[in-house]
Amino acid sequence: MALIMSDVDRFETARPRLEAIAYRLLGSASEAEDAVQETFLRWQAADVERIEVPEAWLTKVLTNWCLNLLTSARARRETYVGRWLPEPLLAGDPMLGPADTAEQRESVSYAVLVLLERLSPGERAVYVLREAFDYPHREIAQILDITEAASQQIYHRAKKHIADGKARTDIDEAAARRIVEEFLAAATSGRTEPLVRLLTQDAVSVGDGGGKVPARAKAFEGARAVATFLRGLFKPSPAKRAYVGGAPDIYATTANGEPAIVAVVDGKVVGITCLEVTAEGIAAVRSQVNPDKLVRATEQWAATGRGQAPLHTL
């Protein structure tokens, strides 16, 4: 059935929330956009006048579409070259969704998005809908076609899996910048010890190049191993500059609510490194360098007119 303008407007009003749900479920901005577009096509084909609660209907369609994608994604990631990491989103990206509470901010943090990969698709859906969007279990049960009791049990199980990770620190932008500045000073000092002092003893470092950019598939583990790797990573060289097309300018920002280092060459984001910060220090250094997962970040970087000067040039 053809939609009238008010029905289109109703969908567009719901779009930001749908995109935020889809991103948390899929860990990919491009896949989230595709899922929302598929939901719109189904909305367009539906008898909208007979849908009593459009928000619930749209959420159900979107969530179940994402669940199908998550099921197939597990098979695709078995053939993914190297380590798969979520697509990072820079501060201010509307797809990050609500950030009014600590729970909402943590649900989209890069560290939690990585942990969500441990969950089954159903656990992930219940956790996201409950933790990030405060859906009552009654509505989650209707969306996923399960009982309310099952929703509660799945949520508590999923929350325990997420809580098994390190206790993360909620950080504002000013604190994030200070952390990045200190990290960069240590990483570019040419010495290992300043980095070791910033890291937890069991710190890890991992990167996602998607087979298109060199990135070590196996994580570096332990403060000294991570520090040694990072010292080399942040050492300028003609080969590195030739590979990325110039000397990267290094900026401090936040991505998914975590302190982040953004490498930019001629306006193009070529890498985003997220720092997972705990009370004990930096527990994880995760670098996204797969160009397919930096397209939206480049668009966001250009759209926000970053006026800050780079902290460093490699």
Side-chain angles (χ1 to χ4, degrees):
M1 297 180 65
L3 294 179
I4 61 175
M5 187 56 65
S6 61
D7 295 327
V8 175
D9 290 342
R10 188 179 299 175
F11 183 87
E12 291 304 319
T13 298
R15 183 184 290 274
R17 179 180 56 83
L18 296 175
E19 287 187 344
I21 292 173
Y23 172 69
R24 282 170 165 83
L25 288 176
L26 301 171
S28 165
S30 58
E31 289 185 358
E33 289 174 337
D34 290 344
V36 172
Q37 183 60 24
E38 181 63 32
T39 303
F40 175 74
L41 293 176
R42 297 190 177 203
W43 172 254
Q44 191 176 41
D47 186 354
V48 174
E49 294 300 321
R50 300 185 62 182
I51 298 176
E52 295 182 3
V53 186
E55 178 182 293
W57 188 93
L58 291 169
T59 304
K60 183 180 179 72
V61 170
L62 174 83
T63 301
N64 283 284
W65 182 260
C66 289
L67 288 177
N68 290 335
L69 287 178
L70 283 172
T71 300
S72 62
R74 289 178 176 251
R76 292 198 309 273
R77 287 173 194 169
E78 289 178 3
T79 60
Y80 190 83
V81 179
R83 180 69 66 92
W84 187 95
L85 289 176
E87 178 178 349
L89 298 181
L90 297 177
D93 193 313
M95 197 175 281
L96 289 170
D100 299 326
T101 67
E103 291 78 14
Q104 289 173 336
R105 291 190 293 274
E106 181 171 88
S107 72
V108 78
S109 73
Y110 209 60
V112 166
L113 288 181
V114 171
L115 289 173
L116 284 174
E117 290 295 306
R118 301 179 183 178
L119 305 182
S120 70
E123 289 173 333
R124 188 164 182 159
V126 171
Y127 180 85
V128 166
L129 291 172
R130 180 62 184 157
E131 193 78 356
F133 297 91
D134 203 28
Y135 276 84
H137 286 290
R138 175 179 53 80
E139 292 185 23
I140 295 173
Q142 293 171 350
I143 290 169
L144 299 177
D145 293 323
I146 57 178
T147 66
E148 188 172 345
S151 176
Q152 293 170 338
Q153 291 172 356
I154 292 170
Y155 171 68
H156 289 303
R157 186 167 65 241
K159 193 167 185 178
K160 183 179 184 304
H161 285 315
I162 299 301
D164 285 342
K166 291 183 179 294
R168 288 158 293 279
T169 304
D170 202 4
I171 295 170
D172 61 26
E173 286 202 37
R177 183 178 178 85
R178 289 195 298 271
I179 290 168
V180 170
E181 288 174 346
E182 188 176 5
F183 177 86
L184 275 176
T188 58
S189 69
R191 296 182 294 122
T192 302
E193 289 306 321
L195 274 169
V196 171
R197 289 194 291 270
L198 295 179
L199 301 167
T200 62
Q201 286 303 305
D202 58 350
V204 298
S205 177
V206 65
D208 177 352
K212 299 181 179 183
V213 174
R216 180 182 166 95
K218 182 173 171 47
F220 289 92
E221 299 180 354
R224 189 157 296 278
V226 170
T228 301
F229 165 69
L230 292 173
R231 185 187 63 189
L233 181 67
F234 283 89
K235 183 178 181 179
S237 74
K240 291 176 184 175
R241 291 176 176 177
Y243 195 88
V244 298
D249 289 327
I250 306 300
Y251 297 86
T253 185
T254 59
N256 296 76
E258 293 183 353
I261 300 158
V262 181
V264 182
V265 176
D266 293 332
K268 179 181 179 181
V269 175
V270 297
I272 298 176
T273 297
C274 296
L275 306 178
E276 181 183 345
V277 179
T278 69
E280 291 75 36
I282 297 172
V285 180
R286 300 183 177 95
S287 297
Q288 183 56 260
V289 292
N290 182 344
D292 293 343
K293 297 182 181 180
L294 296 172
V295 173
R296 186 180 178 94
T298 295
E299 294 172 351
Q300 183 73 5
W301 187 264
T304 51
R306 306 283 174 174
Q308 60 174 303
L311 293 177
H312 195 77
T313 299
L314 294 180

